[in-house]
Amino acid sequence: MKKRRKGLCILLAIMLLVSGCGKETKKEEATLINSAPLNIIDDNYRNYYEVFVYSFCDGDGDGIGDFKGLTSKLDYINDGDDKTDSDMGFNGIWLMPIMQSTTYHKYDVVDYYNIDKEYGTLDDFKAFMVECEKRNIKVILDLVMNHTSSQHEWFIEATEYIKSLKEGQEPSAKENKYFGYYNFTKEPQGTKYYQVGNTEWYYEAGFVSEMPDLNLGNQEVRKEFEEIVKYWMDLGVGGFRLDAAKEYYSDNTEKNNEVLAWLNHTVKAIDKDAYIVAEVWTPFNTYSQYYKSGIDSVFDFAFADANGKIVKTLNYTGSDNSGKALGQSFITLQEKLSELNPNYIDAPFFTNHDLARAAGYFSGDNQTEKTKMAGAINLMMNGSAFVYYGEELGMNGSGIDENKRAPMRWSKEETKEGMCRGPVAMERIEQEYDSLEEQQKDDNSIYNFYKQAVKLRNQNPEIARGLVTYIDEVTDEDICAITKEYNGSKIHILMNVSAEAKSVSLSKETYSYNELRGALKTGKDNVLLKGETVKLPPYSVAILK
Ligand code: CA
């Protein structure tokens, strides 16, 4: 008996030795899949996931996404456990409009104090917020202040009032306050005005006739929104994404900034740590001016979309779009934005619900590698980075807006539990890449790439918060090389934005780094650090620390 046990022990020892050798190889791989500890700072530099509830996850089987469904998928977004590696690691969610509305997209609000019935009940929302709180996910709501639905009671009251006037009687906001809520006129200018019934009055509606523009100069309207933001913040909401901020006063930056400054003050008085990001869909020289309002962030449109900086860099067409130019653009951003608001937080994104999905931005050689690398550039930028749901799967969708808001591809089986049917007008979309189920099993998938990129942000707070300097000596057409310093800690980010493998040498003494802190590869070849030389395969990222 004893002898046999001794034999067993020797066998066990041999097995341990063998498995120990296995671990050595694994350890080497582990370095490459970014094994540094997480260092997540609880501030407003977050990794946001933009969710369209309608198309995300259906919790009750009617084909329309809802809060029950979204809550059931929170473990995918962030399970709240730093020890697991099965979640995406987003610690912020931007919810596209959730308030009661008449359309599938819900940008025309009928009731600012309720959840749209398609999405569930207020209790479902509260349950969702409890789960987000547990996971330290900050939830920001899409707040539509530029207009309401024409079915909103304010607008119905105002137009009924106008229609009730006797001939020769002039309306006044004193008599009916809702008359002052919108922009009514007897002298419409341009095409954005619509008649109120058969009266001589018209109302402004910049988007469509069913979305009348609010008069944000009216103090009563402002009081309404002061109550609305308070209501949602009391339910745990951590901030707002401001829809169509340039339209408040059509393209009048100064007046729009006054509105933003008022809202910022209102929101921060309730919670100083709240976060506000505005959509100002204009060229950089215009949207950057909105930082003067004092809000935290303005979406960085210059880097997004098929014609943005990221795509131009990867579809290199000349030195304006080189790795070097990309690095310089980060410096320019930093200089210009900090001048306008020293507390600015950039809001880089690559696509959103109004833009064609990124998988269609690239074609030909290296299409998949470029799709991944675009996500990497987005996620290596300073600020709060935003990722549109489904981009981590390389989903397709272009043309009409509905196609850009297609069901999250949890599975290739469209009838599988949780799958949404998508907007009614959505066309048939051919998907190039697998659904989540297959991509989860493939280490080289777009999904696993995005997960690693988000993880790097969660391991290295310098990425989102660091002061950027430019490493001139190794930067060239193909390599974007920058240093980021935060709280006395420096990292160096090297991005190979070309289709060629590159070797970059960086003096350890000058740049005081010890290790390859993290890396992203788009193909099968690994990023390697040997001595002072970094081997960067095509379209890859190395972080040195
Ligand atoms: Ca549903």
Side-chain angles (χ1 to χ4, degrees):
M1 202 57 189
K2 264 191 175 170
K3 256 189 184 168
R4 261 189 80 185
R5 189 171 280 174
K6 196 176 174 187
L8 205 67
C9 285
I10 293 168
L11 192 69
L12 269 171
I14 294 169
M15 280 169 70
L16 277 170
L17 208 67
V18 172
S19 68
C21 291
K23 264 184 195 149
E24 278 309 300
T25 343
K26 280 244 173 68
K27 200 179 164 194
E28 207 173 311
E29 274 170 29
T31 326
L32 296 167
I33 58 162
N34 306 320
S35 60
L38 300 184
N39 184 6
I40 301 166
I41 294 167
D42 190 11
D43 61 9
N44 272 326
Y45 292 79
R46 287 176 181 256
N47 315 315
Y48 275 94
Y49 194 48
E50 180 191 353
V51 174
F52 181 38
V53 178
Y54 193 95
S55 284
F56 200 64
C57 180
D58 177 18
D60 62 6
D62 67 355
I64 297 172
D66 45 51
F67 274 104
K68 280 203 173 86
L70 172 56
T71 307
S72 76
K73 293 294 187 187
L74 275 180
D75 282 351
Y76 171 79
I77 297 169
N78 191 331
D79 66 5
D81 183 350
D82 286 359
K83 291 188 284 294
T84 64
D85 208 6
S86 49
D87 58 313
M88 285 298 302
F90 291 110
N91 59 351
I93 294 177
W94 154 21
L95 291 174
M96 285 169 62
I98 57 167
M99 299 164 201
Q100 197 189 318
S101 171
T102 67
T103 53
Y104 83 93
H105 55 67
K106 314 204 187 297
Y107 277 100
D108 56 325
V109 180
V110 170
D111 181 357
Y112 284 94
Y113 293 95
N114 221 333
I115 299 293
D116 191 277
K117 285 184 188 68
E118 289 184 321
Y119 289 179
T121 63
L122 207 51
D123 281 340
D124 293 341
F125 176 75
K126 288 176 186 169
F128 162 76
M129 291 302 296
V130 167
E131 292 304 313
C132 288
E133 174 90 42
K134 279 185 199 165
R135 293 161 168 81
N136 198 18
I137 297 173
K138 184 171 261 197
V139 177
I140 63 170
L141 298 189
D142 220 314
L143 185 64
V144 188
M145 290 203 303
N146 177 63
H147 52 264
T148 67
S149 164
S150 56
Q151 301 300 306
H152 195 289
E153 62 174 358
W154 302 339
F155 190 70
I156 293 171
E157 291 267 354
T159 50
E160 289 305 311
Y161 166 64
I162 291 170
K163 286 182 210 164
S164 74
L165 296 171
K166 296 190 177 71
E167 214 182 311
Q169 198 187 343
E170 286 296 307
S172 91
K174 278 203 181 105
E175 198 171 65
N176 184 319
K177 68 172 182 176
Y178 299 110
F179 176 73
Y181 277 33
Y182 297 89
N183 301 317
F184 292 108
T185 178
K186 281 200 261 191
E187 285 151 10
Q189 311 266 323
T191 54
K192 292 178 171 181
Y193 284 83
Y194 301 86
Q195 201 174 0
V196 180
N198 292 320
T199 70
E200 54 185 350
W201 287 88
Y202 293 78
Y203 65 93
E204 185 197 11
F207 287 99
V208 289
S209 64
E210 294 85 358
M211 296 182 185
D213 277 40
L214 282 163
N215 173 12
L216 290 166
N218 182 304
Q219 291 308 309
E220 296 290 331
V221 172
R222 292 203 181 186
K223 269 189 229 157
E224 298 276 7
F225 279 101
E226 285 164 9
E227 279 173 35
I228 291 163
V229 298
K230 173 88 167 59
Y231 174 79
W232 291 102
M233 291 176 76
D234 284 347
L235 290 173
V237 164
F240 300 92
R241 177 265 183 190
L242 305 178
D243 181 57
K246 82 180 176 80
E247 304 298 340
Y248 292 166
Y249 289 94
S250 306
D251 293 310
N252 185 327
T253 303
E254 202 175 315
K255 287 177 103 173
N256 291 338
N257 273 344
E258 188 277 322
V259 176
L260 293 176
W262 152 74
L263 190 83
N264 191 48
H265 181 264
T266 303
V267 168
K268 303 290 169 70
I270 300 167
D271 175 5
K272 65 176 175 39
D273 298 323
Y275 176 69
I276 294 180
V277 55
E279 178 211 22
V280 181
W281 195 353
T282 57
F284 178 81
N285 285 338
T286 302
Y287 71 74
S288 56
Q289 294 301 314
Y290 281 73
Y291 274 103
K292 284 183 184 166
S293 68
I295 62 169
D296 305 284
S297 297
V298 182
F299 282 117
D300 209 345
F301 273 92
F303 288 78
D305 207 354
N307 297 314
K309 188 94 196 154
I310 293 175
V311 172
K312 280 185 178 164
T313 302
L314 295 173
N315 284 340
Y316 179 77
T317 51
S319 55
D320 283 354
N321 310 311
S322 62
K324 187 173 184 166
L326 182 66
Q328 277 164 341
S329 71
F330 296 148
I331 304 284
T332 308
L333 261 184
Q334 182 171 276
E335 283 171 357
K336 289 202 172 160
L337 300 186
S338 58
E339 222 171 78
L340 295 159
N341 175 358
N343 299 317
Y344 84 98
I345 296 175
D346 193 13
F349 72 106
F350 186 42
T351 64
N352 68 20
H353 60 283
D354 288 322
L355 309 177
R357 284 194 177 272
Y361 294 174
F362 305 106
S363 58
D365 291 347
N366 302 308
Q367 184 187 357
T368 307
E369 289 78 4
K370 286 180 180 178
T371 303
K372 289 177 182 171
M373 192 62 193
I377 296 174
N378 182 194
L379 287 163
M380 287 304 113
M381 286 178 67
N382 282 59
S384 264
F386 286 76
V387 174
Y388 185 43
Y389 82 97
E391 287 301 299
E392 76 276 28
L393 303 178
M395 275 173 59
N396 290 84
S398 59
I400 57 171
D401 282 344
E402 287 82 350
N403 297 355
K404 303 163 187 166
R405 302 161 188 177
M408 175 67 179
R409 276 192 96 214
W410 302 108
S411 167
K412 60 184 172 191
E413 289 171 52
E414 288 171 15
T415 53
K416 192 145 183 177
E417 200 187 335
M419 289 291 289
C420 302
R421 64 159 191 249
V424 175
M426 185 183 77
E427 298 161 324
R428 180 86 209 151
I429 301 165
E430 292 304 325
Q431 297 290 346
E432 292 170 68
Y433 299 106
D434 280 331
S435 75
L436 177 69
E437 282 177 346
E438 294 84 35
Q439 292 204 32
Q440 275 176 325
K441 293 172 203 151
D442 172 7
D443 285 346
N444 244 336
S445 65
I446 297 173
Y447 159 77
N448 273 309
F449 182 88
Y450 261 85
K451 208 164 82 170
Q452 290 301 316
V454 175
K455 192 175 177 187
L456 288 176
R457 288 181 83 82
N458 286 334
Q459 292 168 327
N460 303 287
E462 299 90 344
I463 296 175
R465 301 164 186 80
L467 186 75
V468 186
T469 48
Y470 186 56
I471 309 176
D472 198 32
E473 62 183 275
V474 294
T475 292
D476 62 18
E477 295 294 282
D478 300 332
I479 299 292
C480 169
I482 49 176
T483 296
K484 293 197 184 188
E485 181 172 2
Y486 169 68
N487 261 357
S489 173
K490 272 185 192 174
I491 58 167
H492 310 290
I493 304 177
L494 308 176
M495 292 192 253
N496 181 359
V497 296
S498 81
E500 309 293 324
K502 303 278 288 188
S503 279
V504 173
S505 287
L506 208 60
S507 154
K508 278 191 173 168
E509 205 187 323
T510 313
Y511 289 94
S512 57
Y513 67 93
N514 300 311
E515 55 162 1
L516 181 62
R517 169 79 172 181
L520 295 169
K521 56 169 186 165
T522 59
K524 57 184 189 313
D525 293 338
N526 288 330
V527 176
L528 296 169
L529 172 67
K530 281 187 177 159
E532 296 187 330
T533 302
V534 189
K535 291 204 183 298
L536 286 154
Y539 305 107
S540 64
V541 178
I543 297 176
L544 305 173
K545 187 171 179 175

